[in-house]
Amino acid sequence: MGADVIIMAISALDGWSPEDSELLDRIQSNKKSTGSSTPIILVISKIDCAASDCLGQVQQNIGSFNKHLLTSAITGQGTQDLVKAMLDIVGLNKFPAGSRRWTVNQRQCEQLVRTKEALARLKSSIEEEIPFDFWTIDLREAAMALGQISGEDISEEVLTNIFGKFCVGR
């Protein structure tokens, strides 16, 4: 599974560079070879610092993008437009802003708590410099809990293979 959207960012100060052309060619080649229809957004940043004539070079490549936006991290210009463009592309614009929250049932909530607790124990083990072998117990617990949520049952064989490569003494 690939990306839902590709965002290519360039600086308005630097304009369009040969490296930008090379990157765009690689993106388009990759999309063509994989049969991808992933949309590409061009984000032109630092628009507050650049002269208006610096965008001339960009105009010749605009047709390669599904959308282009002018942004400034300093002034905030265009940031909401970028968020809206991404929501439009992935289809989340169809839902009211308040409904884009995660909802979980009781079982999933219990698994998330189980994951959080296991990761907290893992963090503690790392901070206390407990040997790697002991880390795997909590890491395995977190992976199993997440597998219960996603419906992907992580088999013992997969876990043994993963942890066998990073445990001391195996």
Side-chain angles (χ1 to χ4, degrees):
M1 185 169 158
D4 292 323
V5 63
I6 298 168
I7 299 175
M8 183 172 168
I10 66 168
S11 166
L13 289 174
D14 300 332
W16 191 267
S17 70
E19 291 83 10
D20 296 326
S21 294
E22 183 180 329
L23 178 59
L24 180 58
D25 289 344
R26 287 178 59 197
I27 291 169
Q28 290 174 329
S29 174
N30 189 2
K31 281 180 60 173
K32 186 175 182 178
S33 69
T34 61
S36 171
S37 61
T38 304
I40 308 173
I41 298 174
L42 174 64
V43 175
I44 304 166
S45 65
K46 301 181 183 176
I47 200 66
D48 57 307
C49 302
S52 59
D53 63 343
C54 72
L55 301 177
Q57 306 160 328
V58 176
Q59 292 301 327
Q60 65 189 9
N61 295 294
I62 276 303
S64 300
F65 299 92
N66 299 79
K67 192 170 209 79
H68 68 281
L69 301 160
L70 306 176
T71 64
S72 166
I74 300 294
T75 67
Q77 176 187 346
T79 55
Q80 287 302 316
D81 295 334
L82 178 57
V83 170
K84 184 183 178 320
M86 289 188 296
L87 291 174
D88 289 347
I89 286 172
V90 298
L92 289 177
N93 61 335
K94 299 170 188 157
F95 303 101
S99 67
R100 288 192 295 262
R101 294 191 177 138
W102 286 79
T103 58
V104 295
N105 63 31
Q106 181 64 33
R107 182 190 61 80
Q108 293 167 327
C109 183
E110 290 168 0
Q111 296 306 317
L112 287 171
V113 169
R114 185 175 146 207
T115 301
K116 180 181 175 185
E117 290 170 351
L119 292 174
R121 289 190 307 271
L122 173 63
K123 181 181 178 194
S124 178
S125 295
I126 293 169
E127 289 169 350
E128 294 172 18
E129 297 181 5
I130 293 176
F132 290 125
D133 286 358
F134 292 97
W135 296 11
T136 62
I137 296 167
D138 295 317
L139 195 54
R140 179 185 306 246
E141 176 75 16
M144 298 287 276
L146 290 174
Q148 290 290 317
I149 294 170
S150 67
E152 296 177 31
D153 189 23
I154 302 172
S155 72
E156 279 297 313
E157 181 181 333
V158 170
L159 289 174
T160 301
N161 188 24
I162 291 169
F163 295 125
K165 292 178 181 166
F166 109 40
C167 292
V168 178
R170 291 198 182 206

